[in-house]
Amino acid sequence: LILASPGLSIRRFLDDAQVLKKMLPESVQTVIAEQENAGTFDSPEYQSAVTEYYRRFLCRRDPWPDDVNQTFAEFGESVYRSMWGPSEFTATGTLRNYDRTAQLKELRLPVLLTSGKFDEVTPATAEYYQSLIPGAKLRIFENSAHLTMQDEPEAYVQAVRDFLHDVESR
């Protein structure tokens, strides 16, 4: 099982997002706070601030790869809002209480967790998940955000290959 920057506890994900927001420039933090307080999640100012967050903690490549841009161009906003909520920092949808951390101890198969050093699923959170899974391996990608396979594709593929070769050799 490969868990790539998994959101296994939405509460923890949101707590991490609050910490990561504080790493943004003060002006961006102010826009996010003002627009969230006003409930204007669709405003261009808010969307621009969220994009700044994404450029730091979702995908660090500049420019973004075509497939990342295409994903955003074809983004299912209604599904995102229904399942998640109005923004990355505000979970009001069906996933808002999702937490599978209690079940991780039940996994009895080889597990690789991946996370980027600058990931929304922070390395500390990935390490926490690893601690709950017997024998799990963890790979942190030093130059990546959430989309490790986009930020460091060769290193990501190699990590997956190494993990699979290790599993097959057992």
Side-chain angles (χ1 to χ4, degrees):
L1 176 64
I2 299 171
L3 298 170
S5 302
L8 300 172
S9 165
I10 299 311
R11 178 75 267 143
R12 191 166 181 119
F13 183 92
L14 292 171
D15 289 346
D16 285 346
Q18 295 308 311
V19 171
L20 295 175
K21 274 197 309 187
K22 292 177 183 168
M23 300 169 111
L24 296 170
E26 189 69 36
S27 60
V28 175
Q29 292 181 55
T30 299
V31 167
I32 291 171
E34 288 174 350
Q35 299 298 314
E36 287 184 346
N37 287 337
T40 52
F41 299 101
D42 294 325
S43 74
E45 297 83 8
Y46 187 76
Q47 291 304 311
S48 178
V50 170
T51 297
E52 179 63 25
Y53 181 87
Y54 286 159
R55 292 199 177 282
R56 292 169 186 249
F57 306 114
L58 182 75
C59 183
R60 294 179 69 83
R61 286 187 50 197
D62 187 18
W64 278 355
D66 289 341
D67 50 342
V68 173
N69 287 321
Q70 184 176 352
T71 297
F72 276 92
E74 298 175 12
F75 190 67
E77 185 73 25
S78 64
V79 174
Y80 176 83
R81 285 186 182 234
S82 175
M83 292 183 72
W84 186 261
S87 82
E88 205 72 3
F89 319 113
T90 307
T92 57
T94 57
L95 291 174
R96 70 184 171 279
N97 297 315
Y98 183 84
D99 189 320
R100 287 298 173 260
T101 54
Q103 289 79 31
L104 293 177
K105 68 181 178 292
E106 299 169 16
L107 293 175
R108 298 289 183 253
L109 71 165
V111 176
L112 171 66
L113 292 118
T114 64
S115 176
K117 181 178 179 179
F118 307 99
D119 201 322
E120 292 179 289
V121 176
T122 65
T125 290
E127 290 170 3
Y128 170 68
Y129 296 153
Q130 178 193 22
S131 76
L132 301 175
I133 304 169
K137 307 271 187 224
L138 173 62
R139 172 70 195 276
I140 305 295
F141 294 86
E142 293 298 315
N143 299 304
S144 293
H146 190 62
L147 300 179
T148 54
M149 66 290 301
Q150 292 290 343
D151 286 332
E152 295 182 75
E154 295 85 10
Y156 187 82
V157 168
Q158 189 61 54
V160 169
R161 281 188 179 136
D162 291 347
F163 173 70
L164 295 175
H165 287 300
D166 182 53
V167 169
E168 289 173 351
S169 69
R170 291 182 193 176

